[in-house]
Amino acid sequence: QVQLVESGGGLVQAGDSLRLSCAASGRPFSSYAIAWFRQATGKEREFVAAIGWTFNNIYDEDSVKGRFTISRDNGRNTVYLQMNSLKPEDTAVYSCAARLRVPTTRSSDYTYWGQGTQVTVSS
């Protein structure tokens, strides 16, 4: 069992930055791939970024590549999502999720989920 808790969301203006954190407890954190997904009101959940147990990263190319950076600190059992140059269309609830070892972009591949943190970007 892995428990995930997100933090760091908030209300910011377009062009600002935020850093989200996903803190994990439970099974050995280093064995898990962690992904960030987001869901805007009235829209389907979409993949943002993921990092594997060997620190390999994948990003959604179209929406966040070049603006968002995912990283992990296995000593702190935490994955971070650094979000720069935020846009109003980034407004959503951001959730982290975990699965063993290899990151994927499909939400159905992930076993454990956090409750989410709200990010709101005003224009």
Side-chain angles (χ1 to χ4, degrees), residues 81-119:
L81 184 68
Q82 178 67 44
M83 305 187 297
N84 299 329
S85 302
L86 283 162
K87 304 175 181 179
E89 51 263 44
D90 294 318
T91 295
V93 174
Y94 285 71
S95 300
C96 62
R99 71 185 303 268
L100 280 174
R101 295 186 178 87
V102 179
T104 73
T105 63
R106 294 182 299 270
S107 61
S108 58
D109 290 339
Y110 289 82
T111 307
Y112 304 105
W113 289 81
Q115 293 298 309
T117 185
Q118 176 71 46
V119 172

Side-chain angles (χ1 to χ4, degrees), residues 52-73:
W53 74 312
T54 58
F55 293 81
N56 52 312
N57 302 343
I58 52 175
Y59 295 93
D60 180 86
E61 294 280 342
D62 292 335
S63 63
V64 305
K65 189 73 181 288
R67 298 189 299 124
F68 292 9
T69 302
I70 191 170
S71 61
R72 69 189 297 159
D73 183 342

